[in-house]
Amino acid sequence: EPEVTQTPSHQVTQMGQEVILRCVPISNHLYFYWYRQILGQKVEFLVSFYNNEISEKSEIFDDQFSVERPDGSNFTLKIRSTKLEDSAMYFCASSDQGPTDTQYFGPGTRLTVL
Amino acid sequence: KNEVEQSPQNLTAQEGEFITINCSYSVGISALHWLQQHPGGGIVSLFMLSSGKKKHGRLIATINIQEKHSSLHITASHPRDSAVYICALIQGAQKLVFGQGTRLTINP
Protein backbone atom coordinates (compact mmCIF):
# COMPACT_ATOMS: atom_id res chain seq x y z
CA GLU A 1 0.00 0.00 0.00
CA PRO A 2 1.36 3.46 -0.87
CA GLU A 3 2.56 5.49 2.08
CA VAL A 4 3.90 8.92 2.94
CA THR A 5 7.54 8.88 3.98
CA GLN A 6 9.50 11.49 5.94
CA THR A 7 13.20 12.01 6.50
CA PRO A 8 14.98 12.26 8.79
CA SER A 9 13.11 10.53 11.59
CA HIS A 10 14.96 12.64 14.14
CA GLN A 11 16.84 15.90 13.61
CA VAL A 12 18.88 17.62 16.27
CA THR A 13 20.02 21.16 15.57
CA GLN A 14 21.39 24.21 17.31
CA MET A 15 19.24 27.29 17.83
CA GLY A 16 19.56 29.65 14.90
CA GLN A 17 20.40 26.96 12.38
CA GLU A 18 18.34 26.21 9.28
CA VAL A 19 16.65 22.84 8.95
CA ILE A 20 14.90 21.19 6.04
CA LEU A 21 12.41 18.45 6.73
CA ARG A 22 11.61 16.21 3.79
CA CYS A 23 8.48 14.37 2.82
CA VAL A 24 7.58 12.14 -0.09
CA PRO A 25 3.78 12.20 -0.47
CA ILE A 26 1.78 9.45 -2.14
CA SER A 27 2.57 9.73 -5.83
CA ASN A 28 -0.83 10.59 -7.32
CA HIS A 29 -1.89 12.94 -4.54
CA LEU A 30 -2.33 16.63 -5.26
CA TYR A 31 -2.76 18.20 -1.80
CA PHE A 32 0.03 18.38 0.75
CA TYR A 33 0.10 19.47 4.36
CA TRP A 34 2.48 20.07 7.24
CA TYR A 35 1.44 19.78 10.87
CA ARG A 36 3.36 19.95 14.11
CA GLN A 37 2.84 18.50 17.55
CA ILE A 38 4.75 19.89 20.50
CA LEU A 39 5.33 17.18 23.09
CA GLY A 40 2.22 16.64 25.17
CA GLN A 41 0.13 19.06 23.12
CA LYS A 42 -2.39 18.76 20.33
CA VAL A 43 -1.58 18.55 16.66
CA GLU A 44 -1.50 21.97 14.94
CA PHE A 45 -1.98 22.84 11.29
CA LEU A 46 0.92 24.69 9.69
CA VAL A 47 0.29 24.90 5.96
CA SER A 48 -1.49 23.37 3.01
CA PHE A 49 -0.12 23.30 -0.54
CA TYR A 50 -1.83 22.70 -3.83
CA ASN A 51 -0.94 23.38 -7.45
CA ASN A 52 2.56 24.52 -6.49
CA GLU A 53 1.45 27.20 -4.10
CA ILE A 54 0.39 27.66 -0.50
CA SER A 55 -3.39 27.47 -0.27
CA GLU A 56 -3.73 28.11 3.45
CA LYS A 57 -1.40 28.74 6.38
CA SER A 58 -1.77 29.19 10.11
CA GLU A 59 -0.51 32.03 12.26
CA ILE A 60 2.32 29.71 13.35
CA PHE A 61 3.63 29.64 9.78
CA ASP A 62 5.52 32.93 9.86
CA ASP A 63 8.39 34.20 7.73
CA GLN A 64 10.76 31.69 9.30
CA PHE A 65 8.90 28.86 7.58
CA SER A 66 8.71 28.00 3.91
CA VAL A 67 7.55 25.04 1.87
CA GLU A 68 8.60 23.82 -1.51
CA ARG A 69 7.94 21.04 -3.94
CA PRO A 70 11.35 21.03 -5.63
CA ASP A 71 10.60 18.13 -7.94
CA GLY A 72 7.75 15.78 -8.73
CA SER A 73 8.10 13.74 -5.57
CA ASN A 74 9.47 15.69 -2.61
CA PHE A 75 7.68 18.21 -0.41
CA THR A 76 9.88 20.10 2.02
CA LEU A 77 9.45 22.30 5.07
CA LYS A 78 12.27 24.72 5.81
CA ILE A 79 12.75 26.55 9.06
CA ARG A 80 15.25 29.35 8.47
CA SER A 81 16.48 30.12 11.96
CA THR A 82 15.30 27.59 14.47
CA LYS A 83 14.16 28.54 17.95
CA LEU A 84 13.89 26.36 21.04
CA GLU A 85 10.10 26.45 20.72
CA ASP A 86 10.29 24.87 17.26
CA SER A 87 11.13 21.57 18.96
CA ALA A 88 8.24 19.31 18.04
CA MET A 89 7.17 16.37 15.91
CA TYR A 90 6.46 17.50 12.37
CA PHE A 91 4.01 15.49 10.31
CA CYS A 92 3.55 15.64 6.57
CA ALA A 93 0.28 14.48 5.01
CA SER A 94 -1.16 14.19 1.53
CA SER A 95 -4.58 13.67 0.03
CA ASP A 96 -5.99 13.09 -3.42
CA GLN A 97 -8.94 15.46 -3.47
CA GLY A 98 -8.35 18.02 -0.76
CA PRO A 99 -9.34 18.45 2.87
CA THR A 100 -12.62 16.56 2.57
CA ASP A 101 -10.71 13.50 1.42
CA THR A 102 -8.77 11.04 3.58
CA GLN A 103 -5.39 12.42 4.55
CA TYR A 104 -2.46 10.03 4.74
CA PHE A 105 0.12 10.98 7.34
CA GLY A 106 3.82 10.30 7.35
CA PRO A 107 5.53 8.86 10.43
CA GLY A 108 6.81 12.28 11.48
CA THR A 109 10.18 13.94 12.03
CA ARG A 110 11.12 14.73 15.59
CA LEU A 111 12.96 18.07 15.62
CA THR A 112 15.00 18.90 18.68
CA VAL A 113 16.44 22.42 18.90
CA LEU A 114 19.20 22.86 21.48
CA LYS B 1 -12.57 28.84 24.42
CA ASN B 2 -11.29 25.99 22.26
CA GLU B 3 -13.08 25.58 18.96
CA VAL B 4 -13.00 21.80 19.42
CA GLU B 5 -13.70 20.06 22.71
CA GLN B 6 -13.33 16.34 23.15
CA SER B 7 -14.61 14.28 26.04
CA PRO B 8 -13.51 12.43 27.95
CA GLN B 9 -9.83 13.39 27.92
CA ASN B 10 -8.90 9.96 29.24
CA LEU B 11 -10.87 6.75 29.14
CA THR B 12 -9.95 3.36 30.58
CA ALA B 13 -12.16 0.37 29.89
CA GLN B 14 -12.14 -3.40 29.93
CA GLU B 15 -11.81 -5.46 26.79
CA GLY B 16 -15.18 -5.98 25.16
CA GLU B 17 -16.76 -2.76 26.38
CA PHE B 18 -18.60 -0.35 24.09
CA ILE B 19 -16.68 2.92 23.85
CA THR B 20 -17.98 6.39 23.03
CA ILE B 21 -15.79 9.43 22.46
CA ASN B 22 -17.43 12.80 21.92
CA CYS B 23 -16.44 15.88 19.95
CA SER B 24 -18.23 19.22 20.23
CA TYR B 25 -17.31 22.28 18.26
CA SER B 26 -18.33 25.90 18.19
CA VAL B 27 -17.75 26.96 14.59
CA GLY B 28 -19.38 26.19 11.27
CA ILE B 29 -17.68 23.40 9.39
CA SER B 30 -18.02 21.52 6.16
CA ALA B 31 -16.76 18.23 7.53
CA LEU B 32 -14.80 16.60 10.30
CA HIS B 33 -12.11 13.94 10.56
CA TRP B 34 -11.59 11.29 13.20
CA LEU B 35 -7.95 10.28 13.53
CA GLN B 36 -6.10 7.68 15.58
CA GLN B 37 -2.65 8.40 16.98
CA HIS B 38 -0.73 5.28 17.94
CA PRO B 39 1.46 5.12 21.06
CA GLY B 40 4.49 5.44 18.76
CA GLY B 41 3.13 8.75 17.41
CA GLY B 42 1.90 7.73 13.96
CA ILE B 43 -1.44 9.19 12.83
CA VAL B 44 -4.05 7.29 10.84
CA SER B 45 -7.22 8.72 9.38
CA LEU B 46 -10.29 6.74 10.47
CA PHE B 47 -13.22 8.67 9.03
CA MET B 48 -14.14 11.86 7.23
CA LEU B 49 -17.75 12.87 7.89
CA SER B 50 -19.93 15.63 6.59
CA SER B 51 -23.29 14.17 7.63
CA GLY B 52 -24.95 11.11 9.10
CA LYS B 53 -23.03 8.03 10.05
CA LYS B 54 -20.15 5.90 8.78
CA LYS B 55 -19.09 2.43 9.83
CA HIS B 56 -15.81 0.61 9.32
CA GLY B 57 -15.42 -2.71 11.07
CA ARG B 58 -15.95 -2.14 14.78
CA LEU B 59 -15.78 1.63 14.46
CA ILE B 60 -18.81 3.86 13.95
CA ALA B 61 -18.74 7.64 13.57
CA THR B 62 -21.72 9.96 13.64
CA ILE B 63 -22.11 13.67 13.14
CA ASN B 64 -24.92 16.14 13.76
CA ILE B 65 -24.02 19.34 11.93
CA GLN B 66 -26.93 21.32 13.44
CA GLU B 67 -25.93 20.38 17.00
CA LYS B 68 -22.22 20.76 16.23
CA HIS B 69 -21.44 17.34 17.67
CA SER B 70 -19.78 14.15 16.54
CA SER B 71 -19.21 10.82 18.25
CA LEU B 72 -16.85 7.94 17.66
CA HIS B 73 -17.97 4.53 18.90
CA ILE B 74 -15.95 1.35 19.22
CA THR B 75 -17.82 -1.91 19.65
CA ALA B 76 -16.25 -4.97 21.29
CA SER B 77 -13.17 -2.98 22.26
CA HIS B 78 -9.77 -4.68 22.25
CA PRO B 79 -6.41 -3.77 23.81
CA ARG B 80 -5.09 -2.99 20.32
CA ASP B 81 -7.64 -0.12 20.19
CA SER B 82 -5.58 1.66 22.86
CA ALA B 83 -4.51 4.95 21.29
CA VAL B 84 -5.30 8.65 21.25
CA TYR B 85 -8.39 9.47 19.20
CA ILE B 86 -8.50 12.93 17.69
CA CYS B 87 -11.35 14.92 16.19
CA ALA B 88 -10.28 17.51 13.60
CA LEU B 89 -12.51 20.09 11.94
CA ILE B 90 -12.14 21.24 8.36
CA GLN B 91 -12.11 25.04 8.43
CA GLY B 92 -11.73 27.37 5.54
CA ALA B 93 -10.38 26.01 2.30
CA GLN B 94 -7.89 23.54 3.60
CA LYS B 95 -7.18 23.97 7.30
CA LEU B 96 -7.65 21.29 9.93
CA VAL B 97 -8.29 22.36 13.53
CA PHE B 98 -7.50 19.57 15.96
CA GLY B 99 -9.01 18.63 19.28
CA GLN B 100 -6.84 17.75 22.25
CA GLY B 101 -7.51 14.05 21.77
CA THR B 102 -8.96 11.33 23.96
CA ARG B 103 -6.50 8.83 25.38
CA LEU B 104 -8.14 5.40 25.34
CA THR B 105 -6.74 2.46 27.27
CA ILE B 106 -8.36 -0.94 26.91
CA ASN B 107 -7.31 -3.45 29.55
CA PRO B 108 -7.40 -7.17 28.82
Side-chain angles (χ1 to χ4, degrees):
Chain A
E1 184 175 326
E3 58 181 17
V4 177
T5 60
Q6 290 185 243
T7 54
S9 56
H10 190 191
Q11 173 93 44
V12 182
T13 190
Q14 295 290 326
M15 192 168 57
Q17 294 296 303
E18 175 182 286
V19 294
I20 297 176
L21 309 184
R22 291 184 165 80
C23 169
V24 179
I26 293 172
S27 63
N28 62 335
H29 283 183
L30 302 175
Y31 296 80
F32 314 113
Y33 311 86
W34 281 104
Y35 301 97
R36 81 171 185 191
Q37 187 175 32
I38 294 169
L39 187 64
Q41 298 187 21
K42 64 181 180 179
V43 179
E44 298 173 292
F45 168 82
L46 290 177
V47 66
S48 57
F49 191 87
Y50 169 71
N51 201 26
N52 280 320
E53 59 183 28
I54 290 173
S55 42
E56 195 143 3
K57 60 182 181 179
S58 73
E59 53 278 3
I60 301 167
F61 194 89
D62 61 21
D63 293 344
Q64 292 299 311
F65 291 87
S66 62
V67 289
E68 197 177 31
R69 188 152 161 82
D71 52 43
S73 58
N74 289 285
F75 179 51
T76 62
L77 174 70
K78 183 194 292 186
I79 309 175
R80 271 182 257 286
S81 176
T82 50
K83 307 184 192 72
L84 295 176
E85 54 266 34
D86 294 327
S87 296
M89 183 75 95
Y90 288 80
F91 293 100
C92 170
S94 69
S95 70
D96 185 20
Q97 296 177 30
T100 57
D101 192 18
T102 299
Q103 291 193 23
Y104 294 84
F105 287 78
T109 292
R110 179 165 298 285
L111 176 64
T112 301
V113 182
L114 302 176
Chain B
K1 185 183 187 297
N2 289 329
E3 292 169 306
V4 191
E5 296 278 353
Q6 286 188 236
S7 62
Q9 287 190 313
N10 293 283
L11 178 57
T12 299
Q14 290 299 121
E15 183 173 355
E17 286 188 40
F18 181 81
I19 303 298
T20 296
I21 297 169
N22 296 298
C23 175
S24 296
Y25 51 92
S26 56
V27 295
I29 63 168
S30 56
L32 170 156
H33 289 263
W34 279 102
L35 308 164
Q36 180 192 54
Q37 187 166 28
H38 297 295
I43 298 174
V44 174
S45 178
L46 299 174
F47 295 103
M48 195 286 298
L49 285 167
S50 55
S51 65
K53 177 177 167 177
K54 284 190 177 177
K55 184 176 191 292
H56 182 69
R58 294 180 295 105
L59 301 178
I60 303 164
T62 63
I63 188 168
N64 185 320
I65 293 284
Q66 287 74 30
E67 294 187 5
K68 295 186 167 59
H69 183 268
S70 176
S71 294
L72 177 69
H73 305 285
I74 306 174
T75 62
S77 59
H78 190 276
R80 65 174 174 265
D81 297 325
S82 298
V84 176
Y85 292 84
I86 303 169
C87 164
L89 314 179
I90 299 169
Q91 272 199 322
Q94 299 212 24
K95 178 180 173 182
L96 282 190
V97 176
F98 292 78
Q100 280 287 119
T102 294
R103 184 173 299 279
L104 175 65
T105 304
I106 303 295
N107 292 319

